[in-house]
Amino acid sequence: MKEVVNVSNKDQVIEVKYKNTLIKMRVLKFSLEANITEILITNIFDEDFTVADFKELYFKRWGIEVKYDKIKNKLQIENFTGETPIAIEQDFYATMHLVNIVALAKMDANEIIEEEYKDKNLKYEYKVNTNILIAKLKNTLIMMISTNNPWKRRHMLRYIGTEIEKNAILIRPYRSFKRKVRRETRKVNILNKKRVL
């Protein structure tokens, strides 16, 4: 919206007419690294919240954006294997169940990695590679769930843990990349084309 992009101040309240309705909004502008200007719109008009506060909140929401990316793109939550309500519900809950298992496994593995690397005086921190974690889980998750043998289940879980630890990735703080502007692609709704997890 031109009215938003062209605000003259870093913190400005404007009114925009949309479909015969006047919408009041607060527009905030601040600079990111690499000379990128970020524009945020909010309905929080309390001036106790400064541009600096919103900038800090903007970076804190990054973990949520990453989680949405994993659920939507890596685990394909919007790609259903059927059209009936029960098929859609099964796909949704199966994906969310997998998301929770991945999160728990990641938390455990990160604790092990942190413990293993703590006395090495390394410059950077190491964390779990989520792509490797999902790949290792997909091969053994069904077997782990279906086996009645607790020893076998623990052994499979230990194996996954060991493999994940081997593939820890380096975390470099304050890294940023130039944003890629992508053209919108048409979504193809073809059933039974979900990638195997």
Side-chain angles (χ1 to χ4, degrees):
M1 296 172 72
K2 280 188 281 184
E3 296 93 342
V4 170
V5 175
N6 295 329
V7 293
S8 53
N9 299 326
K10 289 183 177 180
D11 186 352
Q12 189 172 330
V13 175
I14 63 169
E15 289 185 340
V16 177
K17 195 170 186 177
Y18 179 74
K19 292 186 178 178
N20 297 324
T21 305
L22 208 57
I23 302 169
K24 186 180 177 185
M25 60 182 77
R26 183 178 177 187
V27 181
L28 304 142
K29 277 186 176 182
F30 54 84
S31 295
L32 301 176
E33 288 179 25
N35 293 328
I36 296 169
T37 300
E38 190 65 37
I39 301 173
L40 303 180
I41 300 170
T42 183
N43 62 352
I44 299 172
F45 300 106
D46 186 343
E47 290 180 11
D48 288 343
F49 292 99
T50 65
V51 175
D53 294 328
F54 282 101
K55 187 174 181 178
E56 187 180 339
L57 286 171
Y58 172 80
F59 287 107
K60 287 191 174 190
R61 110 276 171 240
W62 188 246
I64 297 164
E65 295 290 332
V66 170
K67 182 61 80 177
Y68 278 132
D69 176 59
K70 282 177 191 148
I71 293 170
K72 191 174 174 184
N73 298 316
K74 289 189 175 77
L75 300 174
Q76 297 185 320
I77 197 161
E78 295 174 321
N79 199 353
F80 303 113
T81 56
E83 290 180 320
T84 62
I86 190 74
I88 292 169
E89 281 185 44
Q90 283 175 343
D91 281 351
F92 175 81
Y93 288 115
T95 303
M96 292 313 294
H97 186 66
L98 181 61
V99 166
N100 289 330
I101 290 171
V102 167
L104 289 169
K106 187 175 179 178
M107 196 169 61
D108 287 347
N110 276 335
E111 283 179 13
I112 293 165
I113 289 167
E114 194 178 306
E115 187 65 31
E116 189 181 318
Y117 284 79
K118 76 174 183 184
D119 297 326
K120 295 188 177 178
N121 294 323
L122 299 171
K123 185 177 178 181
Y124 296 113
E125 188 180 359
Y126 282 78
K127 294 278 182 194
V128 169
N129 183 329
T130 309
N131 291 334
I132 299 286
L133 172 59
I134 292 169
K136 296 298 175 186
L137 272 175
K138 78 172 184 182
N139 295 328
T140 52
L141 186 60
I142 300 299
M143 287 191 299
M144 266 179 17
I145 291 170
S146 61
T147 186
N148 288 327
N149 185 330
W151 179 86
K152 197 172 182 181
R153 192 179 296 124
R154 274 196 305 273
H155 179 72
M156 284 189 270
L157 196 58
R158 221 174 281 127
Y159 165 76
I160 291 170
T162 306
E163 288 298 304
I164 291 164
E165 288 164 43
K166 283 184 203 170
N167 293 288
I169 54 172
L170 178 71
I171 304 297
R172 291 186 183 94
Y174 312 113
R175 258 177 113 192
S176 63
F177 298 96
K178 192 173 179 179
R179 290 184 182 178
K180 293 177 185 172
V181 178
R182 290 185 226 158
R183 286 190 314 157
E184 274 300 308
T185 53
R186 247 180 53 212
K187 253 188 194 172
V188 180
N189 266 335
I190 300 172
L191 297 176
N192 301 321
K193 293 288 182 185
K194 190 165 185 147
R195 196 167 55 213
V196 178
L197 298 175

